[in-house]
Amino acid sequence: MAFFYFLFLFTLLSPSSSNDLNSLTYIVHVDHEAKPSIFPTHRHWYTSSLASLTSTPSIIHTYDTVFHGFSTRLTSQEATHLLTHPHVISVIPEQVRHLHTTRSPEFLGLRSTDKAGLLEESDFGSDLVIGVIDTGIWPERPSFDDRGLGPIPTKWKGQCVASQDFPATACNRKLVGAKFFCGGYEATNGKMNETTESRSPRDSDGHGTHTASISAGRYVFPASTLGYARGVASGMAPKARLAAYKVCWSSGCYDSDILAAFDAAVADGVDVVSLSVGGVVVPYHLDAIAIGAFGAIDRGVFVSASAGNGGPGALTVTNVAPWMTTVGAGTIDRDFPANVKLGNGRTVTGVSVYGGPGLDPDKMYPLVYGGSLLGGDGYSSSLCIEGSLDPSLVRGKIVLCDRGINSRAIKGEIVRRNGGVGMIIANGVFDGEGLVADCHVLPATSVGASGGDEIRRYISESAKSSRQPTATIVFKGTRVGIRPAPVVASFSARGPNPETPDILKPDVIAPGLNILAAWPDKIGPSGVTSDKRRTEFNILSGTSMACPHVSGLAALLKAAHPDWSPAAIRSALMTTAYTVDNRNERMLDESTGNISSVMDYGSGHVHPTKAMDPGLVYDITSYDYNNFLCNSNYTGTNIVTITRRKADCDGARRAGHVGNLNYPSFSVVFQQYGESKLSTHFIRTVTNVGESDSVYEVKIRPPRGTTVTVEPEKLSFRRVGQKLSFMVRVKTTEVKLSPGATSVETGHIVWSDGKRNVTSPLVVTLQQPF
């Protein structure tokens, strides 16, 4: 009877309405156990149910592994009707996500010549498979060569989906799988333009090739981009296998496709999922990435996700579900100086990886600011937007453009087309002093906000005295051994966690600024269509680049410790992370030059060698996450949507609160409602993964204005694998704050056995209600 009701429900929906302008893509969660036995598969059930609507049923994807259900186009009225069906659990509107767009292995302490250490202990990750959900892959690059690799792991069930420009032979013992998912993209945008995009796993953007080689690229020598960053390129886990899942297209990455990729990756047998895309933070039951990631970790698959590039502002971090490892970006000890020499003798520091013909070193060029050119609207021309520059005022000159709105590389193309001989991109106040090096199509460099102000003042003062301002750009190549490093990248998204403030995000940071990695043919290094230069490697920046560093490290840790869960791997990375730079001083924030905080870097910068032997780990099970969701006031239906299992919320709430999730960091938010004394407690359980008969003693650095106690103060382990619990009590007093204001104080808790330090940040936030 239920099946016939399902059919009847869909006959109520207009056959034409699913494709009209008012329809949207929805992901439908269905009770998979309710499938009538007359249908051999769930897809047959869903398709038959939709057959009364159209001769071509509008199912986009079905989901069987990390989620149960399908995606389809519906109007809002149809979606509301669908929710009344007894076997439909939830209907989730689709989001469109966007990409978060070497020397780094050496900077992280991973050297192929070491006879001991993480690379050696893990056999370079050779039996692990990393699934990269991104823009696809360019399989012919040397980074994906399978020389010297053993047979494909027997557990692997994936395949190489062949198409016109991607033969099955493109896969090998390194690239063991490649698939693409475009149903959601085409459901919204219509049939793709195959003259500009590849209906295949082939990468027509570059982002996916770059991230895949960061996580698991082979050793390649020589490697460079336009002569910059010469040396050996390799990924974090050089022998790990790769599987590419293409979900991102010209207009973005669609939730229905992302969820299908998660479903396929976990069914195929990946060990790690690397995801460098994100979007608006929504509750977890409406977040397809959070749902797919939970299904993955529930099967023992580690999920690494980029934190986003919305920094340096607060509350910008994305991909914040506590079962994902959220990765921010830091710098490495290498940069590419390209300084501006002004006509007044002053020099403004900048960065660039421009590799074409340079400017005449003995000549100073006329300098203009786009925002002060006549004939434009000022604002558009200041940003060097298409159509805003007058060629007669730009020709033969270096143009100063403000950062923002259009891409930095596109600004250069616009200046070049209008006759400019060079370009300087100046950060705005929000960007601060954070600099990103780009492969420009003309001589160009990027300068910080203060440098931009100095150049504008020089131009203005020259105009007042009727003198022609002049400048040139001096490119200095590659410089290594930079101090300080690491520094938190300006663009790296920051906390606090907008969905669950009690869970500190990001979790860690990793190299994400100016990272060298593989790049496709047919795409210029600037990404600009007119750029006909070709290079095997490119230098990009973003938390997109930081995320696959952690994905590769997770594969190495999983190979070295096959029994570790995704939560244990994350714990090892977090509790061994560091917060000092190569001067042995506290890490700085690139945007301001000031000391950074846990809201910027979470637990700190990853330290792979120490993560291999963390001593203790904070493990978390799927049932712990269920309890967390209960204590976060998610409904039973919401929880089933995320976890595919019912929760005993009464028991969970009796057992604790949101902060009692067994997370490797501690965060509490106190609302000041007039109580002078505020207090809470955390309960944590640690598992001994170090040595038997080991004793750990606690060291506490309490946040300013708080009292912190830990009971017991000593943990004595008799064997490896033993679990012991402790309680942390936090007491503080109300402080005077204006309505809506917040006070954040940080400290840490360290368990030490004299050899290992298991460190957790402790954050206390006081908020004054409006």
Side-chain angles (χ1 to χ4, degrees):
M1 186 66 187
F3 165 66
F4 292 109
Y5 176 71
F6 198 22
L7 276 179
F8 175 69
L9 172 71
F10 275 107
T11 62
L12 295 176
L13 310 179
S14 165
S16 61
S17 64
S18 291
N19 296 312
D20 67 23
L21 295 176
N22 294 318
S23 65
L24 298 170
T25 298
Y26 288 87
I27 298 168
V28 183
H29 187 196
V30 178
D31 180 359
H32 71 294
E33 296 180 354
K35 178 183 71 66
S37 59
I38 61 171
F39 293 105
T41 67
H42 287 83
R43 187 177 188 91
H44 284 89
W45 180 28
Y46 307 145
T47 303
S48 176
S49 303
L50 292 173
S52 57
L53 286 175
T54 174
S55 59
T56 55
S58 61
I59 287 178
I60 299 170
H61 297 293
T62 61
Y63 310 103
D64 306 301
T65 305
V66 300
F67 184 78
H68 298 123
F70 61 97
S71 50
T72 187
R73 297 284 289 183
L74 299 169
T75 65
S76 59
Q77 183 181 11
E78 292 167 350
T80 301
H81 279 309
L82 189 55
L83 269 173
T84 65
H85 188 273
H87 300 312
V88 171
I89 297 169
S90 59
V91 178
I92 305 166
E94 179 171 67
Q95 276 197 70
V96 182
R97 316 290 181 134
H98 297 283
L99 301 166
H100 287 152
T101 139
T102 92
R103 182 176 161 80
S104 49
E106 184 179 343
F107 180 71
L108 289 170
L110 296 174
R111 295 180 175 85
S112 61
T113 55
D114 288 350
K115 298 303 181 185
L118 184 53
L119 284 174
E120 185 70 21
E121 290 288 329
S122 64
D123 189 23
F124 298 77
S126 64
D127 288 331
L128 278 292
V129 181
I130 301 173
V132 181
I133 299 178
D134 212 295
T135 66
I137 197 164
W138 198 271
E140 294 83 7
R141 282 294 176 243
S143 296
F144 310 125
D145 193 285
D146 67 353
R147 65 192 183 283
L149 289 180
I152 294 171
T154 55
K155 65 169 187 177
W156 180 247
K157 301 181 183 68
Q159 61 180 343
C160 198
V161 174
S163 51
Q164 185 174 357
D165 66 349
F166 200 98
T169 53
C171 289
N172 55 24
R173 288 170 298 164
K174 176 66 175 179
L175 180 63
V176 297
K179 297 179 178 180
F180 66 98
F181 304 87
C182 59
Y185 163 61
E186 291 191 315
T188 298
N189 298 281
K191 189 175 175 63
M192 78 172 63
N193 180 358
E194 294 189 46
T195 64
T196 58
E197 297 195 87
S198 296
R199 185 186 291 277
S200 77
R202 185 167 294 280
D203 187 0
S204 50
D205 176 273
H207 190 273
T209 299
H210 201 269
T211 57
S213 68
I214 291 171
S215 65
R218 305 301 304 276
Y219 289 103
V220 180
F221 177 83
S224 70
T225 298
L226 307 177
Y228 289 87
R230 293 184 184 275
V232 178
S234 78
M236 296 295 99
K239 286 188 180 180
R241 317 307 170 108
L242 283 165
Y245 299 88
K246 182 177 177 179
V247 301
C248 295
W249 307 88
S250 60
S251 63
C253 322
Y254 290 74
D255 271 358
S256 55
D257 295 333
I258 293 172
L259 191 58
F262 265 111
D263 212 54
V266 175
D268 289 345
V270 302
D271 300 281
V272 174
V273 167
S274 187
L275 182 75
S276 290
V277 305
V280 177
V281 175
V282 295
Y284 305 130
H285 68 287
L286 299 176
D287 185 344
I289 289 178
I291 292 168
F294 188 93
I297 66 100
D298 197 35
R299 300 286 189 99
V301 177
F302 181 92
V303 179
S304 175
S306 50
N309 296 341
L315 288 164
T316 51
V317 64
T318 67
N319 293 325
V320 295
W323 41 89
M324 293 191 285
T325 299
T326 310
V327 188
T331 68
I332 61 174
D333 61 344
R334 178 183 67 197
D335 71 1
F336 310 102
N339 299 335
V340 179
K341 183 179 178 182
L342 299 175
N344 62 4
R346 299 273 298 173
T347 296
V348 177
T349 59
V351 297
S352 177
V353 286
Y354 170 70
L359 299 172
D360 187 337
D362 299 320
K363 181 178 178 180
M364 298 295 285
Y365 296 81
L367 173 66
V368 295
Y369 173 43
S372 59
L373 291 174
L374 298 176
D377 66 7
Y379 176 70
S380 295
S381 57
S382 72
L383 295 161
C384 298
I385 290 173
E386 183 73 52
S388 67
L389 300 180
D390 183 342
S392 66
L393 301 175
V394 168
R395 190 173 294 112
K397 299 174 181 175
I398 293 176
V399 181
L400 174 66
C401 304
D402 291 339
R403 181 174 173 178
I405 304 299
N406 55 345
S407 79
R408 298 180 298 274
I410 288 291
K411 292 178 191 292
E413 169 65 5
I414 291 169
V415 169
R416 187 187 65 81
R417 282 207 312 264
N418 282 276
V421 297
M423 178 184 67
I424 304 163
I425 296 178
N427 281 358
V429 174
F430 180 79
D431 301 301
E433 302 308 309
L435 298 179
V436 177
D438 296 300
C439 295
H440 290 288
V441 296
L442 84 170
T445 188
S446 294
V447 302
S450 60
D453 289 342
E454 180 174 351
I455 296 170
R456 288 188 206 92
R457 279 196 305 272
Y458 166 62
I459 294 172
S460 176
E461 290 167 1
S462 297
K464 289 176 184 177
S465 58
S466 300
R467 292 196 307 268
Q468 171 66 57
T470 60
T472 190
I473 302 171
V474 182
F475 299 94
K476 293 181 173 289
T478 305
R479 187 173 61 168
V480 297
I482 298 299
R483 295 163 68 92
V487 170
V488 179
S490 178
F491 56 77
S492 187
R494 317 298 169 97
N497 184 334
E499 178 61 19
T500 312
D502 303 270
I503 301 296
L504 183 63
K505 292 284 183 174
D507 292 308
V508 291
I509 63 170
L513 183 72
N514 300 331
I515 302 301
L516 179 78
W519 192 249
D521 276 336
K522 299 186 179 179
I523 304 169
S526 69
V528 175
T529 305
S530 63
D531 187 357
K532 303 305 179 186
R533 298 172 297 176
R534 297 295 178 258
T535 179
E536 286 195 2
F537 293 88
N538 201 3
I539 293 169
L540 297 182
S541 298
T543 56
S544 279
M545 284 66 248
C547 167
H549 279 88
V550 169
S551 307
L553 295 178
L556 295 177
L557 290 171
K558 183 70 174 177
H561 302 283
D563 57 331
W564 281 11
S565 69
I569 293 170
R570 176 180 58 203
S571 175
L573 289 166
M574 290 175 65
T575 62
T576 59
Y578 59 90
T579 59
V580 296
D581 58 31
N582 54 5
R583 306 168 305 169
N584 203 34
E585 297 179 18
R586 291 175 63 185
M587 271 196 299
L588 301 181
D589 179 346
E590 185 189 31
S591 67
T592 62
N594 298 327
I595 292 172
S596 56
S597 76
V598 294
M599 294 300 178
D600 306 327
Y601 54 67
S603 291
H605 192 286
V606 290
H607 193 308
T609 306
K610 287 188 176 180
M612 187 178 69
D613 183 22
L616 305 175
V617 294
Y618 294 79
D619 209 353
I620 306 176
T621 68
S622 295
Y623 291 99
D624 294 328
Y625 290 123
N626 254 35
N627 292 343
F628 159 82
L629 291 167
C630 286
N631 287 314
S632 299
N633 294 320
Y634 281 79
T635 68
T637 300
N638 295 159
I639 294 171
V640 170
T641 297
I642 300 165
T643 68
R644 307 180 319 285
R645 59 169 64 89
K646 294 180 179 178
D648 174 17
C649 281
D650 289 339
R653 287 170 186 142
R654 284 194 301 270
H657 54 85
V658 174
N660 275 347
L661 181 68
N662 202 42
Y663 217 71
S665 58
F666 300 83
S667 177
V668 60
V669 180
F670 290 115
Q671 298 290 339
Q672 297 192 149
Y673 289 113
E675 297 180 18
S676 59
K677 294 184 179 181
L678 305 164
S679 65
T680 192
H681 72 277
F682 302 94
I683 298 173
R684 292 290 191 271
T685 300
V686 287
T687 305
N688 180 24
V689 295
E691 300 164 353
S692 58
D693 297 317
S694 54
V695 177
Y696 287 81
E697 295 185 5
V698 72
K699 302 174 184 176
I700 305 169
R701 184 174 70 80
R704 186 173 59 180
T706 67
T707 301
V708 178
T709 58
V710 176
E711 300 173 8
E713 296 180 345
K714 183 182 294 185
L715 298 174
S716 299
F717 295 92
R718 296 187 302 277
R719 55 183 174 80
V720 175
Q722 183 179 357
K723 298 177 183 290
L724 292 175
S725 298
F726 62 93
M727 178 181 288
V728 179
R729 297 186 185 277
V730 178
K731 297 180 181 180
T732 189
T733 55
E734 191 174 274
V735 298
K736 188 173 183 179
L737 295 171
S738 57
T742 298
S743 169
V744 179
E745 299 292 345
T746 63
H748 59 241
I749 294 171
V750 182
W751 289 101
S752 178
D753 66 349
K755 175 183 177 183
R756 308 169 187 86
N757 291 318
V758 186
T759 305
S760 296
L762 171 58
V763 184
V764 176
T765 303
L766 302 177
Q767 288 184 346
Q768 186 66 40
F770 285 101

